[in-house]
């Protein structure tokens, strides 16, 4: 499912001779309910052939009155009311990694590159995992805080089974497509890519295979598909030989990479293309749709998925998103060797196998209990409500050991009690493509406790990450503290969880506070009640 626009790439003036504009601005399938909705009842038949009569999507801009007028709090109600929220699952984390790199360089990330769901999904959640294939569905929440009025946060957490042990997974056949254009000469780009591939060469098994493609103005195969057994030295020699030169022809690299992946495809293995690039395309063919079709056909016909690894202080976030979306993969971002080890040692080998294809989630809110709701993030992953059980509509691909979190701001009706929402996840078995579903529910009792100082430290981390992302992209959520106060919450959570990643989040928030509000920071952050932006 195509997601991003070309805002970031246009800002930095990098052109792909028309192809990038077509790629990023065209073919974007973004349908479904709006960010803020009013709630009503409807029924689905629970079968795999689609729901009964689905409500009309909410009007753009929020929840809406029957007469179509804006309420005094600036929100609208849909007519007819919309009680559903539907989106494709997403395990990307590149937005958070790139924001961290930008703040480390004493800059604020461009708001167009900030996606709250990728901030949230960068942290451990501690969800229970299912015993077999598929998902567990975990739903909880808390009041949004003293400044949140009658708003609460509801967390929908999905988890797959734990990743298999190194020796238990199927073999892998990986085609690495490496950007060696002139921009990759900057420290932290090609040098980091080479270090990452050296690390991975040590981690892969003897029965795994790799091929290596490089691209600048043209693409070149440095290594055809080669079994690692007895060939690690040869592979390292090819990696070490890469040098930055010339311009960035992503189209040539992607085409050659998929040619090599198909030529070297290993039956029974997890065949995957791994694109390592700053994704700052500036030359190549103009037929962007042909590139996407090449990726799509390799996925459909041969199950070859695409994993994107972004690098560099300037990074073509939108382009990498588009390519990996079409390739049923996901993106991450590495800024240093520590992150490279996390990606290439802890994550990539364990997550090569898929648990679920075309996975979607739908949350149905209870009209009698919920007055308004908003999904935080996932704007680029929304799916039309009526397409939840349409298995021809693309969803997200999720591997073992993954978690996916969706956070909602929910405004309860005065005196409401009882059922709040039912969350359903639907996915296809990667091998048989048989559909499966799992559900979880939440009641008012489960979201009535305080957020800060509550029992769930991981829920507090989730809220901190979401509040921070929303602030960076210029919005504000109900109950959101100012950056100074949010940094203090993060520091406290880092000590309580003994989690180094939460400590780094606290440092990022403190740095953003100084950059936005001066050396002393602001530390407050009054939020008009119900203001969702």
């Amino acid at each position: 499912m195509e997601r991003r626009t070309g805002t970031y790439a246009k800002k930095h003036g990098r052109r792909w001779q028309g192809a990038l504009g077509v790629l990023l601005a065209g073919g974007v399938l973004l349908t479904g309910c709006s960010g803020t909705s009013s709630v009503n009842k409807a029924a689905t038949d629970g079968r795999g052939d689609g729901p009964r009569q689905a409500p009309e999507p909410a009007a753009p801009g929020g929840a809406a009155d029957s007469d179509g007028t804006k309420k005094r709090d600036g929100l609208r109600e849909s007519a007819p009311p919309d009680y559903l929220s539907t989106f494709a699952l997403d395990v990307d984390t590149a937005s958070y990694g790139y924001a961290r790199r930008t703040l480390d360089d004493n800059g604020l990330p461009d708001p167009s590159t900030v996606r709250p769901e990728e901030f949230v999904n960068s942290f451990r959640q501690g969800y229970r995992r299912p015993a077999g294939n598929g998902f567990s569905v975990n739903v909880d929440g808390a009041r949004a805080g003293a400044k949140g009025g009658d708003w609460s946060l509801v967390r929908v957490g999905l988890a797959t089974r734990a990743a298999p042990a190194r020796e238990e997974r199927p073999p892998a056949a990986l085609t690495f497509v490496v950007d060696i254009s002139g921009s990759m000469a900057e420290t932290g780009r090609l040098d980091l890519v080479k270090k990452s591939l050296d690390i991975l060469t040590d981690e892969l098994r003897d029965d795994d295979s790799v091929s290596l493609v490089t691209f600048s103005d043209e693409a070149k195969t440095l290594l055809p598909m080669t079994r690692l057994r007895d060939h690690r030295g040869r592979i390292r020699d090819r990696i070490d030989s890469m040098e930055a030169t010339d311009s960035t022809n992503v189209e040539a690299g992607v085409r050659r990479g998929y040619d090599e992946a198909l030529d070297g495809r290993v039956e029974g293995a997890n065949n995957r293309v791994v694109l390592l690039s700053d994704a700052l395309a500036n030359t190549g063919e103009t037929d962007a749709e042909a590139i996407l079709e090449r990726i799509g056909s390799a996925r459909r016909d041969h199950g070859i998925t695409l994993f994107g690894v972004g690098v560099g202080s300037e990074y073509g976030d939108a382009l990498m998103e588009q390519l990996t979306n079409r390739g049923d993969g996901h993106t991450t971002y590495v800024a240093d060797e520590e992150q490279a080890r996390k990606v290439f040692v802890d994550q990539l080998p364990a997550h090569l196998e898929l648990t679920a294809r075309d996975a979607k989630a739908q949350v149905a809110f209870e009209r009698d209990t919920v007055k308004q709701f908003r999904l935080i993030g996932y704007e680029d992953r929304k799916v039309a409500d009526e397409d939840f059980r349409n298995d021809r509509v693309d969803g997200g691909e999720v591997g073992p050991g993954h978690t996916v979190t969706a956070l909602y701001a929910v405004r309860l009706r005065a005196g409401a009690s009882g059922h709040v929402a039912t969350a359903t996840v639907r996915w296809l078995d990667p091998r048989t493509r048989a559909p499966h579903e799992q559900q979880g529910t939440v009641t008012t009792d489960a979201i009535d406790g305080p957020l800060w100082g509550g029992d769930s430290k991981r829920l507090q981390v989730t809220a901190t990450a979401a509040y921070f992302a929303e602030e960076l992209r210029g919005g504000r959520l109900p109950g959101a503290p100012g950056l100074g106060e949010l940094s203090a919450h993060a520091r406290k959570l880092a000590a309580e969880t003994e989690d180094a990643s939460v400590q780094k989040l606290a440092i990022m928030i403190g740095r953003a506070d100084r950059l936005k509000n001066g050396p002393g920071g602001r530390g407050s952050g009054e939020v008009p009640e119900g203001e969702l932006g």
Side-chain angles (χ1 to χ4, degrees):
M1 177 177 294
E2 295 77 12
R3 288 193 276 178
R4 302 286 292 164
T5 65
T7 306
Y8 181 81
K10 291 176 182 177
K11 178 178 184 292
H12 290 276
R14 310 303 290 251
R15 296 174 297 153
W16 191 3
Q17 295 185 346
L20 186 57
V22 174
L23 178 64
L24 304 182
V28 181
L29 179 61
L30 296 178
T31 56
C33 61
S34 68
T36 305
S37 302
S38 190
V39 183
N40 200 354
K41 288 182 177 178
T44 62
D45 60 11
R47 300 175 301 176
D49 57 355
R52 295 176 191 167
Q53 185 63 38
E56 293 294 324
D65 222 325
S66 58
D67 61 5
T69 60
K70 269 197 175 183
K71 291 188 166 186
R72 282 191 295 273
D73 61 5
L75 304 175
R76 293 182 180 273
E77 292 180 359
S78 59
D82 183 358
Y83 81 122
L84 294 173
S85 171
T86 309
F87 59 94
L89 302 197
D90 191 352
V91 295
D92 290 353
T93 59
S95 176
Y96 179 75
Y98 185 48
R100 178 179 163 187
R101 165 64 184 265
T102 305
L103 286 161
D104 282 347
D105 291 341
N106 288 311
L108 291 168
D110 187 296
S112 69
T113 69
V114 176
R115 292 181 292 280
E117 69 274 17
E118 296 185 24
F119 277 54
V120 166
N121 285 327
S122 296
F123 295 90
R124 285 191 294 114
Q125 301 289 340
Y127 301 137
R128 62 180 175 84
R129 294 188 181 274
N133 290 330
F135 293 87
S136 65
V137 182
N138 310 263
V139 193
D140 61 1
R143 293 195 302 273
K147 300 183 180 70
D150 52 358
W151 289 86
S152 297
L153 295 177
V154 171
R155 179 177 62 164
V156 177
L158 310 172
T160 57
R161 61 179 170 83
R166 180 176 181 270
E167 63 275 6
E168 293 177 356
R169 66 167 173 81
L174 306 177
T175 298
F176 294 99
V177 180
V178 181
D179 184 348
I180 59 167
S181 62
S183 63
M184 292 291 287
E186 176 193 292
T187 300
R189 298 194 189 196
L190 185 57
D191 60 325
L192 185 58
V193 167
K194 292 166 73 171
K195 172 64 73 173
S196 300
L197 293 181
D198 277 335
I199 291 170
L200 186 61
T201 300
D202 291 333
E203 291 299 315
L204 291 173
R205 298 187 324 218
D206 284 350
D207 61 344
D208 293 328
S209 304
V210 300
S211 61
L212 183 61
V213 170
T214 60
F215 68 92
S216 53
D217 56 339
E218 296 180 346
K220 179 181 179 181
T221 300
L222 289 188
L223 182 76
M225 192 65 72
T226 302
R227 189 72 60 91
L228 267 82
R229 181 183 295 114
D230 301 326
H231 294 292
R232 295 179 196 270
R234 179 186 174 200
I235 293 168
R236 288 194 184 91
D237 288 343
R238 296 294 190 276
I239 293 169
D240 292 343
S241 71
M242 296 187 297
E243 294 183 357
T245 179
D246 298 329
S247 54
T248 311
N249 190 339
V250 174
E251 179 268 339
V254 168
R255 284 184 182 275
R256 175 63 70 90
Y258 272 90
D259 286 343
E260 288 296 329
L262 289 170
D263 289 344
R265 182 174 176 270
V266 177
E267 194 68 33
N270 290 315
N271 293 269
R272 179 168 295 195
V273 173
V274 182
L275 175 61
L276 302 104
S277 175
D278 59 14
L280 297 174
N282 56 20
T283 190
E285 297 294 335
T286 59
D287 187 6
E289 282 301 319
I291 304 166
L292 293 176
E293 178 55 34
R294 178 62 164 163
I295 295 172
S297 63
R299 169 185 59 82
R300 290 190 303 270
D301 299 338
H302 303 286
I304 298 175
T305 56
L306 178 63
F307 178 47
V309 181
V311 296
S313 56
E314 289 187 88
Y315 167 54
D317 167 82
L319 174 57
M320 189 71 86
E321 285 279 304
Q322 289 286 324
L323 294 173
T324 56
N325 290 346
R326 180 60 66 94
D328 274 359
H330 62 281
T331 63
T332 191
Y333 179 91
V334 295
D336 52 39
E337 188 173 337
E338 178 187 0
Q339 292 174 338
R341 286 189 176 277
K342 181 178 179 181
V343 169
F344 288 96
V345 175
D346 300 336
Q347 296 178 350
L348 181 57
H351 297 159
L352 286 170
E353 190 176 8
L354 284 181
T355 297
R357 284 192 181 276
D358 291 325
K360 309 183 191 85
Q362 186 169 83
V363 182
F365 289 92
E366 176 60 57
R367 178 193 60 182
D368 294 338
T369 309
V370 177
K371 184 177 182 181
Q372 292 169 304
F373 67 89
R374 176 190 172 181
L375 174 59
I376 301 169
Y378 288 95
E379 289 87 359
D380 298 337
R381 295 300 269 162
K382 286 180 180 175
V383 174
D385 295 332
E386 60 270 22
D387 284 333
F388 177 59
R389 292 187 173 91
N390 182 352
D391 296 330
R392 292 172 296 180
V393 173
D394 194 20
E397 279 55 49
V398 184
H402 279 138
T403 62
V404 180
T405 299
L407 194 65
Y408 287 87
V410 175
R411 191 178 192 183
L412 299 179
R413 297 187 183 276
S417 65
H419 178 251
V420 173
T422 297
T424 305
V425 58
R426 180 182 176 86
W427 71 96
L428 303 182
D429 182 278
R431 293 179 178 83
T432 67
R433 300 197 68 82
H436 301 274
E437 292 187 7
Q438 189 63 261
Q439 285 188 338
T441 62
V442 66
T443 63
T444 52
D445 290 344
I447 64 173
D448 192 45
L451 173 61
W452 307 119
D455 293 335
S456 176
K457 305 304 178 188
R458 289 295 163 187
L459 175 59
Q460 295 174 57
V461 172
T462 299
T464 300
Y467 283 152
F468 180 41
E470 195 68 16
E471 177 76 24
L472 287 177
R473 66 177 186 170
R476 186 65 68 85
L477 294 167
L483 287 175
E485 184 180 343
L486 194 62
S487 177
H489 282 303
R491 290 195 300 272
K492 185 172 184 290
L493 287 167
E496 292 172 340
T497 61
E498 298 182 343
D499 189 335
S501 64
V502 181
Q503 179 63 42
K504 291 171 184 174
L505 174 63
I507 293 170
M508 288 173 62
I509 297 171
R511 185 166 292 157
D513 187 28
R514 291 189 294 275
L515 289 169
K516 289 174 70 75
N517 303 309
R522 183 172 54 192
S524 59
E526 293 296 327
V527 186
E529 180 180 337
E531 182 180 331
L532 295 183

